[in-house]
């Protein structure tokens, strides 16, 4: 059987994302494993898939004048084929336009009939010949921003309402950029300097992170293939996510609860902060996700992490009151801070989803509060930048838990230069994607009186 070309594989992946609302990152990983691709082709496949999903509405805006019958009348596969072809023509420069058109027409002939391949050929040749339409044609500011940055209009309106137009525009523009690869150095095994040297010996260029004391930014090379990674000296984690363990700041010998822990990045970071002396109980709802926590702990050679399959909302049935010295709730959320890594989030989420997840956030917070000792620290964090899931949730929590107060010492536990860009509130921190080129994140710390 003839092996599929990169663009045929990309078309299959994009159709599954569109039809089944499959997660692009998971689907792409599975596809790469199954397709047995040349490593040099994996980068191009990833770029075509992520880029086409990321810029979907902009691509449709460019396509619209060239499709006489309207894009809604096209078969799904034809519409997606045109999108991925135009994405390459507009945003990639390593493949000549004529080669892109030729391959699109070949795919159209194989999948459809002569008429469809002719139409694909005509549309793409016209796109090559003519200037793309200007965004200035769109007179409404918010609609123009939505099309130009390829975000749904409801999300643009929400960001503008919460952050103002200029900040919202920066968020949306940054969401289109590829995320940088960052790793956390396991301080129980190596210093930052030692980790940089180990990676250098294996041909990996790494520099210190901008945001976290434990972070390295990978500038060149695939770290997952290194001995440093296999031996547990480093693990992949975004810099803003690394601040959560610093915010909780557990000490050696403590009993700590991480309520929504998979895949284990923060649980293992907490264990490293404690020099692996103490106990981190890491809960997650599903067995297969708890396996991920256990696998990570094993690779990092951390003995203090104890993964358990449990719904955090039922934790009081398994633990006595005032069992834990510190508790982390890195809550399930809309994920609007990680759109760069998971571009399909912006097309699959809705206002209704945000409202639905708030209910779960409240249930988890209510359930685990009694498990914290008096004087203990409680950290609530999310990878969303939506204020109803963040500041409003904290306000709700304080109104319903009078024995808690905001921990105003939070900023003392985090690198001082963060305050130059990120937004410190009383006992809280908001990092937007453009502040440090990281995921968007929210962290708040509270003390039980």
């Amino acid at each position: 059987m003839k092996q599929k070309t990169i663009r045929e594989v990309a078309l299959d992946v994009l159709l599954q994302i569109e039809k089944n609302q499959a997660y692009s990152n998971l689907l792409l990983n599975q596809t790469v494993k199954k397709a047995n691709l040349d490593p040099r082709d994996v980068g191009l496949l990833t770029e075509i898939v992520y880029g086409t999903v990321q810029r979907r509405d902009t691509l449709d805006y460019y396509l619209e004048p060239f499709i006489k019958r309207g894009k809604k009348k096209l078969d799904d596969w034809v519409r997606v084929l045109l999108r991925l072809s135009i994405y390459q023509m507009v945003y990639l420069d390593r493949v000549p336009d004529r080669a892109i058109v030729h391959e699109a027409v070949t795919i159209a002939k194989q999948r459809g009939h002569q008429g469809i391949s002719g139409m694909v050929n005509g549309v793409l040749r016209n796109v090559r010949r003519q200037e793309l339409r200007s965004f200035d044609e769109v007179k409404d500011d918010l609609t123009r921003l939505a099309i130009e940055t390829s975000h749904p209009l409801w999300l643009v309106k929400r960001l503008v309402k919460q952050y103002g137009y200029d900040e919202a525009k920066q968020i949306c523009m940054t969401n289109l950029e590829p995320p940088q690869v960052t790793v956390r150095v396991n301080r129980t095994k190596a210093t930052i300097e030692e980790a940089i040297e180990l990676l250098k010996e294996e041909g990996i260029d790494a520099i210190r992170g901008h945001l976290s004391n434990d972070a390295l930014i990978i500038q060149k090379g695939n770290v997952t293939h290194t001995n440093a990674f296999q031996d547990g000296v480093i693990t992949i984690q975004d810099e803003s996510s690394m601040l959560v363990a610093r915010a909780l700041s557990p000490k050696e010998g403590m009993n700590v609860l991480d309520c929504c822990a998979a895949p284990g990045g923060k649980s293992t970071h907490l264990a490293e902060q404690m020099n692996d002396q103490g106990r981190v109980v890491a809960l997650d709802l599903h067995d297969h996700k708890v396996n991920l926590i256990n696998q990570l702990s094993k690779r990092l050679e951390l003995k203090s992490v104890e993964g358990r399959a449990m719904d955090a909302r039922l934790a009081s049935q398994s633990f006595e009151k005032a069992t834990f010295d510190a508790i982390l709730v890195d809550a399930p959320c809309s994920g609007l801070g990680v759109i760069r890594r998971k571009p399909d989030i912006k097309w699959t989420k809705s206002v209704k989803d945000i409202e639905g997840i708030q209910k779960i956030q409240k249930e988890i917070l209510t359930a685990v509060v009694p498990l914290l000792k008096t004087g203990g620290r409680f950290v609530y964090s999310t990878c969303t930048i939506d204020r109803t899931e963040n500041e409003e949730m904290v306000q709700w929590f304080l109104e319903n838990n009078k024995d808690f107060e905001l921990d105003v010492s939070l900023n003392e536990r985090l690198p001082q230069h963060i305050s130059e860009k990120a937004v410190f509130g009383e006992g809280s921190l908001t990092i937007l994607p453009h502040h440090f080129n990281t995921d968007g994140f929210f962290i708040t710390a509270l003390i039980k009186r």
Side-chain angles (χ1 to χ4, degrees):
M1 195 171 102
K2 181 175 88 71
Q3 185 164 353
K4 287 185 176 180
T5 66
I6 291 301
R7 287 156 190 85
E8 285 177 292
V9 175
L11 178 57
D12 289 340
V13 172
L14 288 163
L15 279 169
Q16 283 192 65
I17 292 168
E18 185 128 321
K19 281 183 182 174
N20 308 327
Q21 294 200 340
Y23 288 120
S24 53
N25 58 331
L26 300 177
L27 188 56
L28 206 49
N29 289 340
Q30 290 165 9
T31 304
V32 166
K33 282 177 188 169
K34 276 187 202 166
N36 197 22
L37 297 172
D38 185 310
R40 290 168 299 184
D41 291 334
V42 172
L44 180 58
L45 174 66
T46 303
E47 177 135 33
I48 292 172
V49 170
Y50 274 16
T52 304
V53 174
Q54 197 71 282
R55 296 187 184 265
R56 187 192 79 182
D57 281 11
T58 309
L59 297 170
D60 284 354
Y61 178 76
Y62 287 150
L63 263 173
E64 204 170 31
F66 300 104
I67 300 173
K68 293 188 177 76
R69 293 168 57 208
K71 71 177 192 320
K72 285 184 180 171
K73 293 195 175 164
L74 296 175
D75 287 346
D76 289 345
W77 71 267
V78 179
R79 184 172 63 250
V80 173
L81 177 61
L82 289 170
R83 270 184 200 152
L84 73 86
S85 301
I86 290 194
Y87 173 74
Q88 294 170 83
M89 291 162 75
V90 176
Y91 298 103
L92 301 186
D93 52 15
R94 71 185 100 157
V95 184
D97 284 357
R98 65 179 181 280
I100 295 165
V101 175
H102 175 74
E103 182 150 9
V105 171
T106 303
I107 292 170
K109 278 179 186 168
Q110 290 166 354
R111 292 214 177 201
H113 51 72
Q114 196 69 37
I116 289 177
S117 65
M119 186 273 292
V120 167
N121 186 34
V123 168
L124 295 180
R125 282 179 182 278
N126 284 334
V127 171
R128 275 186 74 191
R129 280 196 294 264
Q130 296 175 35
E131 266 191 39
L132 294 170
R133 68 198 292 203
S134 166
F135 297 118
D136 293 338
E137 288 179 27
V138 185
K139 298 308 174 195
D140 177 67
D141 288 347
L142 299 189
T143 307
R144 188 188 321 112
L145 180 59
I147 293 169
E148 188 176 355
T149 64
S150 199
H151 281 66
L153 185 58
W154 73 265
L155 180 53
V156 168
K157 286 178 176 176
R158 198 172 178 93
L159 289 171
V160 169
K161 187 178 178 183
Q162 293 184 8
Y163 290 101
Y165 182 86
D166 291 342
E167 197 90 270
K169 184 173 183 178
Q170 282 191 286
I171 292 167
C172 292
M173 295 297 275
T174 305
N175 281 345
L176 295 174
E177 296 169 9
Q180 57 191 11
V181 177
T182 53
V183 298
R184 186 184 83 231
V185 176
N186 181 354
R187 295 299 185 98
T188 69
K189 284 178 166 280
T191 63
I192 285 277
E193 291 76 17
E194 287 166 347
I196 289 173
E197 278 307 308
L198 284 171
L199 289 168
K200 194 174 179 182
E201 287 168 17
E202 298 194 67
I204 305 289
D205 290 346
I207 58 169
R208 281 177 170 272
H210 302 314
L211 189 57
S212 168
N213 297 335
D214 305 306
L216 294 178
I217 297 169
I218 305 302
Q219 297 191 300
K220 191 187 83 176
N222 187 335
V223 286
T224 59
H225 295 160
T226 63
N227 291 324
F229 183 84
Q230 301 300 335
D231 297 342
V233 175
I234 55 168
T235 194
I236 293 173
Q237 189 178 7
D238 186 76
E239 278 201 78
S240 55
S241 169
M242 293 181 209
L243 298 179
V244 175
R246 294 269 174 199
L248 196 65
S249 193
K251 303 290 181 277
E252 288 184 17
M254 276 190 173
N255 194 19
V256 180
L257 178 65
D258 183 357
C259 295
C260 312
K266 298 178 190 69
S267 304
T268 51
H269 197 191
L270 291 168
E272 290 165 17
Q273 295 272 298
M274 296 156 64
N275 293 316
D276 207 23
Q277 304 294 313
R279 179 184 182 223
V280 179
V281 179
L283 308 183
D284 206 272
L285 198 52
H286 305 289
D287 284 318
H288 70 279
K289 288 192 171 182
V290 174
N291 286 339
L292 296 177
I293 300 169
N294 293 335
Q295 285 164 17
L296 180 59
S297 304
K298 188 176 178 183
R299 181 169 64 78
L300 299 176
E301 295 186 54
L302 298 168
K303 306 282 193 295
S304 57
V305 180
E306 182 187 310
R308 285 208 203 180
M310 186 186 299
D311 187 335
R313 292 170 291 186
L314 306 175
S316 59
Q317 295 175 15
S318 298
F319 303 107
E320 296 289 327
K321 284 185 178 179
T323 295
F324 296 99
D325 300 293
I327 294 179
L328 167 62
V329 175
D330 185 54
C333 67
S334 62
L336 297 179
V338 294
I339 286 173
R340 293 166 77 183
R341 291 183 196 284
K342 301 174 182 177
D344 34 281
I345 281 176
K346 61 187 176 184
W347 308 125
T348 56
K349 297 291 181 189
S350 66
V351 175
K352 195 182 266 188
D353 291 319
I354 293 173
E355 290 164 356
I357 208 92
Q358 278 180 279
K359 181 173 178 285
I360 295 168
Q361 289 162 350
K362 288 177 180 178
E363 287 170 356
I364 292 171
L365 290 171
T366 302
V368 301
V369 158
L371 305 179
L372 185 64
K373 292 177 182 176
T374 300
R377 185 175 287 135
F378 189 94
V379 164
Y380 172 79
S381 63
T382 69
C383 60
T384 183
I385 53 175
D386 191 90
R387 286 183 162 156
T388 59
E389 300 176 80
N390 295 339
E391 290 91 339
E392 286 181 30
M393 188 60 62
V394 174
Q395 190 179 347
W396 170 87
F397 179 83
L398 288 168
E399 284 168 3
N400 287 275
N401 296 275
K402 301 296 183 188
D403 51 342
F404 276 80
E405 63 187 8
L406 289 163
D407 179 4
V408 292
S409 68
L410 171 67
N411 59 346
E412 295 168 17
R413 296 191 294 282
L414 301 176
Q416 290 307 298
H417 72 278
I418 292 178
S419 58
E420 293 166 18
K421 293 180 181 176
V423 184
F424 270 110
E426 194 179 0
S428 72
L429 171 69
T430 300
I431 296 172
L432 299 177
H434 59 279
H435 286 158
F436 297 98
N437 198 24
T438 64
D439 292 345
F441 229 86
F442 175 80
I443 302 169
T444 194
L446 306 117
I447 299 290
K448 190 172 187 177
R449 286 192 287 247

